[in-house]
Amino acid sequence: MKKLFILSFFTIISCKEEINYHYQDKIIGNWTEIEKEEFGPIKITSNNKKEDFSESSLELKPKPPRHKYDFSFHTKSEIINREGFFKNVGGKDFDDRRFLFLGTKTKYIIDSDSLKILDKVSNQYDKYRILSLDKYKLCLIKDRNDTLYFKKRSYNIKCKDTFDKIFIQSSGCYGICPISSTLIDKNGQVIFEGIEFNTRKGLYTSKFNPTEFQEIITSFQKANWVHLENSYKANHTDDELLIIIFIRNNKIIKTVTDYGRQSPEEFVWAYQPLRFFYQKLKLTHLCLTRDNLDENTKLFLKLKQKNF
């Protein structure tokens, strides 16, 4: 009897580990949210009682407007949430709010059919239930009242074009959208000017590890930046305008303007972190004199004056 109990115990543990590994293995990769109609029939793989769910139970109320989820599970503990995490570090009044960008990387845990993703703002885990998961589709339930449908996204980077500098400028909006200009050079130099609604105000310079620049290039290659349209524009007013300029050998090779985040998602996900790139650096005030007007400073001033 004792041997049977021990055998049963290890059988249960073994099955649980097998289920966890099964989910862990399949969830690695890039997942983008889609509509239920595109997802199609749901094959429930949850190891809890399957009779808890049916197609009719997933016909819930319309979701409030929001940006769609896009997750990249990279390892057994690291996930990228493309929208990123923003923490209010200003005042409570609307006009006093300033946002600190906490990045896009965070942690996750899979326990049986439970998925937990760490919210870096609240420092608490958002909880999901994995209802269905195979190599190509993922269905999650959040708080039992929101069903999320995903498909696996693969990137075949055909664009091999590169750039050695990138300039990002934002106009602000009828609100607290940051007004700033940023120049990032592949050799590790950054020039930043914060005008309004940034965590730093004024003109600064800084250094970063040049190896990070390849990550910037790759993110824009995923967006196929060379073949983007030159202008994207929303049909409403009072939104912000982003200007992204790609530079090679000190010559502008492409300019993309995006009013109201109408450009392709991959492009927004690529340029959004660069707007807040300065926040993770040690900044030094840049007082303009003849002695410090180096190549990048001259280029920065020229591009800033050209656009606004």
Side-chain angles (χ1 to χ4, degrees):
M1 186 68 179
K2 186 175 181 181
K3 290 183 178 179
L4 179 62
F5 173 78
I6 294 174
L7 179 61
S8 299
F9 175 78
F10 281 106
T11 301
I12 293 172
I13 295 298
S14 176
C15 289
K16 186 174 182 181
E17 288 179 351
E18 183 179 349
I19 291 171
N20 283 346
Y21 177 77
H22 171 75
Y23 279 147
Q24 183 70 68
D25 186 46
K26 285 189 171 71
I27 207 168
I28 298 296
N30 305 298
W31 298 92
T32 188
E33 188 178 4
I34 58 176
E35 297 297 328
K36 183 179 183 298
E37 292 72 20
E38 184 179 352
F39 189 90
I42 299 173
K43 181 180 179 181
I44 297 176
T45 58
S46 170
N47 58 314
N48 283 323
K49 292 183 179 180
K50 296 183 180 181
E51 58 266 26
D52 291 347
F53 300 94
S54 64
E55 289 288 332
S56 59
S57 70
L58 300 177
E59 297 293 337
L60 303 172
K61 296 179 180 179
K63 302 172 186 176
R66 60 167 173 78
H67 298 298
K68 73 179 185 181
Y69 290 106
D70 191 277
F71 298 138
S72 292
F73 296 86
H74 281 199
T75 67
K76 290 187 176 181
S77 61
E78 183 181 274
I79 179 177
I80 290 180
N81 180 343
R82 298 288 185 184
E83 281 299 314
F85 300 92
F86 294 86
K87 182 179 181 179
N88 178 20
V89 293
K92 294 182 179 180
D93 293 339
F94 181 82
D95 290 340
D96 294 331
R97 291 190 295 174
R98 304 289 183 272
F99 290 97
L100 181 65
F101 182 56
L102 302 180
T104 58
K105 294 180 181 179
T106 187
K107 298 178 180 180
Y108 77 95
I109 299 170
I110 291 181
D111 182 13
S112 186
D113 62 356
S114 175
L115 170 65
K116 301 176 184 179
I117 300 176
L118 180 64
D119 183 335
K120 296 181 73 173
V121 178
S122 65
N123 203 31
Q124 296 181 344
Y125 280 91
D126 292 329
K127 298 178 181 179
Y128 305 82
R129 181 173 177 182
I130 302 174
L131 181 62
S132 177
L133 173 61
D134 59 30
K135 292 182 179 180
Y136 308 105
K137 295 180 180 180
L138 168 65
C139 181
L140 301 176
I141 293 182
K142 183 179 181 181
D143 303 325
R144 292 197 63 85
N145 62 2
D146 193 3
T147 307
L148 310 175
Y149 305 91
F150 296 83
K151 69 176 180 180
K152 203 163 205 177
R153 181 201 297 259
S154 60
Y155 290 101
N156 182 14
I157 301 179
K158 298 180 181 179
C159 172
K160 301 300 181 182
D161 293 88
T162 62
F163 48 90
D164 50 43
K165 297 176 186 179
I166 185 168
F167 179 80
I168 304 100
Q169 193 167 49
S170 55
S171 67
C173 61
Y174 189 68
I176 57 171
C177 303
I179 304 173
S180 66
S181 299
T182 305
L183 176 69
I184 303 175
D185 181 278
K186 73 170 184 178
N187 295 319
Q189 183 183 11
V190 172
I191 298 176
F192 166 79
E193 183 175 29
I195 305 298
E196 291 291 344
F197 306 116
N198 298 280
T199 54
R200 299 291 291 269
K201 192 172 184 178
L203 183 62
Y204 299 89
T205 185
S206 188
K207 297 287 185 181
F208 69 98
N209 190 333
T211 58
E212 293 184 46
F213 199 82
Q214 183 56 51
E215 295 181 14
I216 295 174
I217 292 176
T218 301
S219 64
F220 282 101
Q221 286 177 332
K222 288 180 179 179
N224 201 16
W225 65 278
V226 172
H227 297 98
L228 292 176
E229 297 178 15
N230 294 329
S231 178
Y232 296 88
K233 188 175 182 180
N235 293 323
H236 55 264
T237 61
D238 300 326
D239 212 324
E240 67 174 341
L241 173 67
L242 271 295
I243 300 176
I244 299 90
I245 300 177
F246 300 89
I247 302 157
R248 185 167 58 232
N249 298 326
N250 282 329
K251 293 182 179 180
I252 296 175
I253 55 177
K254 188 173 183 66
T255 299
V256 179
T257 61
D258 187 9
Y259 178 77
R261 288 174 58 127
Q262 296 301 300
S263 63
E265 297 157 341
E266 291 88 351
F267 188 63
V268 176
W269 295 333
Y271 74 63
Q272 182 79 324
L274 303 187
R275 303 177 61 188
F276 305 93
F277 199 77
Y278 73 95
Q279 292 183 341
K280 65 178 184 178
L281 303 175
K282 183 178 180 180
L283 302 176
T284 302
H285 270 289
L286 183 56
C287 299
L288 298 180
T289 66
R290 290 184 179 181
D291 296 331
N292 65 9
L293 285 180
D294 59 14
E295 181 181 89
N296 282 335
T297 305
K298 291 178 182 178
L299 179 61
F300 176 88
L301 295 175
K302 180 181 179 180
L303 293 173
K304 193 186 82 160
Q305 293 170 359
K306 177 180 178 180
N307 294 307
F308 292 120

